[in-house]
Amino acid sequence: MSSDATPAPAEALDAEPRLDLGGALDKRGFAWAIFEWARNPYYILVIIYIFAPYFAHIIGDNLLASGELDGLDGPAQRAAANAKGQETISSLVKYAGFIAAFTAPFLGAALDRGGRRKPILAVFLGLIAVMAFSLWWVKPDGSGMPIWMGMAALVIAAVGYTYSEVTHNSMLNKSGRASALPAISGLGLALGNLAGALMMGFIVFAFAMPALVGWPFEDPLFGVSVAAGEHQRLVGPLTAVWLAVFSIPFFLYAEDGGTRGASWTRAMKQGAGGLWRTVRNASDNKEILKYLAARMLYADAMSALLALGAVYIGLYLEWNVVELSAYAVLASLFAFGGGIIGGWLDGMVGPKRALMIEIIGMIATLAFQLSITQDAILYGLVPGFVIWDGPIFTTLSDVVYLSTAAAIAITATASISSSRSLLVHLAPRDRVGEFFGLYAIAGTVTVWLGPLMVEEFTRWSGDQRIGMSAIGLLFILGFIVLTTVHSPHHPAVDND
C-alpha cells in the first residue's frame, strides 16, 4: 500500500526493495517461513481438529442435559445436539470474522505507514498464546472456566490470529526476491502443516492410543486423563508454548519492513484516510480487483471448510479423538507436500490455471465427503459395512472418508500458495507491497460469510450435511469470478 508520508531515507528499514535478498533457504526467507511452523499448530489443533470438536461436544451435551430435547427419541436427540454444537462453533468463527472484517483492513492500511512490525506482531502472538493456554480450564463438568469465557477466548484468539496473519503477510515481499516469493510462501505453509502433524502425532501416541488400546504405553503419559478430555484441553497450553519458543528465530532474523521511529497513532489515522484511496488506485487494474473479489469468496469457503470440517466429522460420523487425530496427521503430512506442489503447478500451467484446478479439486472433494454417512457412501448408492472389529476406522465409510484427507489437504494448501503467487504475477513490479496489503484485506472482509452460511443452513435444515453444503456455493462463486481474470503471461515470469 502507498504511504501518505514518505520517511527520510535514514529512517526507513526497507524504503526500497532489497537487492541482496535470496530465496526460501536464505536466512531471511527461512525466518519468514518458520513463523508458520510456530503459529499454525494453534489453528490446526485448536480450531480444526482437537479442541473445537471437543468444545462442540460440550455444547451438545449441555443441551441434552437441559431437557430441551426430551421430546425426541435417542438418535434424534443426539443429531439435534450435534447440530447445535456445529452451529455454535460456526457462530464463534463468524463473530471473529465480523470483528476482523471491520478492523483488520485498517491494520493493513496502517502497516505501510507505521513503525516496526515485529513489536506489534509480538503483541498479537502473545494474545493468541494467553487465550490458548486458558483453554486448559474449559472442563466438560463446568467446574473450570465457564462456557462463555471459553467462547470469548476462542474469539479473541481468532482475531489475534487474523491480525498476525495480516502483519506477517505484509512482510513477505521483504523476505526474498520477487521470483522466490512463491517458494517462500509455500515453504511456510509446508512447515506449518508439518509442525501440526508432529504435534498431532504426539497427542495420539502419548495419550489417545494408550487409553484406547494400551499402546505404545500402558497408560497415557504424565497422568493425563483421556476420559476427562484432558488430552483435548492440553492442546491449548501445548500450542501456546510451541508458539512462544519457535517464533524466536522469526523475531531474530526476519526482515521487519517497517519504519524506525514512525508513530503508530499517526499511521492508524493516515491509514484510515488512505484506505479508500488505496482501493480507488487498485481499481486502475481491474484484473487484480477481480482476482481479489474471487479470493474473498473461495478463500472464505476454504477457511470455513478447514475450520468446521473436523467438527462435522467428529459429530456426524462420531469419530473418536484417535480417528480425528489420525485424519489430522494424514492431512497435515499431505499439506506439507501441498505447499511444494502448489509452486510446481504454478510453473507448469501458470498460477491462475493452477488455482482453478485446486478450487475444482476442493469442490469435488467436498461433494464426495458430503456423500458419506455412517451407513453408506455416494449418497446411498454404495451401502456401508463393518470392515473389522477394532478400536478405530471400523467401517467402509470411515476408511473412505479418511482417504479424502489427502485430496483436501493438497488442494487447499496448494491453493494458498498459488493465491499468493498469482498476486505477485498480476501486480505491477513497483506496487507488489501495496497489493499484498489489499490481498490481506480481501482475506478478512468476508471471512465471516462461510461460517454464517453454515450456521444458518444448519439451523434452517437441522441437518449437518446441508449446513456444510453451503460452503460449496462460495467455492463455485469464487471460481466463476476467477475465470474472468485475465492473466496474460504463462508461465509466471520472473519479476526481478
Side-chain angles (χ1 to χ4, degrees), residues 455-478:
E455 177 188 4
E456 292 302 323
F457 273 53
T458 304
R459 178 183 295 138
W460 162 71
S461 65
D463 187 287
Q464 287 182 261
R465 283 204 296 175
I466 294 176
M468 290 294 290
S469 69
I471 295 173
L473 298 178
L474 287 176
F475 273 130
I476 293 171
L477 290 174

Side-chain angles (χ1 to χ4, degrees), residues 301-339:
M302 183 180 64
S303 297
L305 177 61
L306 295 177
L308 303 175
V311 173
Y312 170 78
I313 58 178
L315 298 178
Y316 193 78
L317 297 182
E318 297 184 354
W319 280 10
N320 60 42
V321 68
V322 174
E323 291 168 316
L324 280 172
S325 299
Y327 180 89
V329 170
L330 183 64
S332 296
L333 289 174
F334 276 100
F336 174 81

Side-chain angles (χ1 to χ4, degrees), residues 310-370:
V311 173
Y312 170 78
I313 58 178
L315 298 178
Y316 193 78
L317 297 182
E318 297 184 354
W319 280 10
N320 60 42
V321 68
V322 174
E323 291 168 316
L324 280 172
S325 299
Y327 180 89
V329 170
L330 183 64
S332 296
L333 289 174
F334 276 100
F336 174 81
I340 308 301
I341 291 172
W344 170 79
L345 194 58
D346 292 349
M348 289 292 293
V349 301
K352 177 190 170 182
R353 290 185 179 90
L355 188 53
M356 292 173 66
I357 292 170
E358 290 148 6
I359 293 174
I360 290 173
M362 286 187 284
I363 294 173
T365 304
L366 173 63
F368 182 70
Q369 287 179 330
L370 294 180

Side-chain angles (χ1 to χ4, degrees), residues 102-167:
F102 286 107
T103 56
F106 295 97
L107 171 64
L111 286 171
D112 281 344
R113 302 164 171 86
R116 296 179 63 87
R117 297 169 182 175
K118 290 181 182 178
I120 65 167
L121 193 51
V123 173
F124 299 149
L125 296 186
L127 194 65
I128 298 171
V130 172
M131 293 300 106
F133 206 98
S134 73
L135 297 178
W136 168 255
W137 288 278
V138 180
K139 300 180 180 181
D141 60 5
S143 63
M145 180 187 294
I147 294 297
W148 70 266
M149 288 184 66
M151 292 180 177
L154 289 172
V155 171
I156 293 170
V159 173
Y161 193 95
T162 299
Y163 288 170
S164 72
E165 189 170 27
V166 171
T167 308

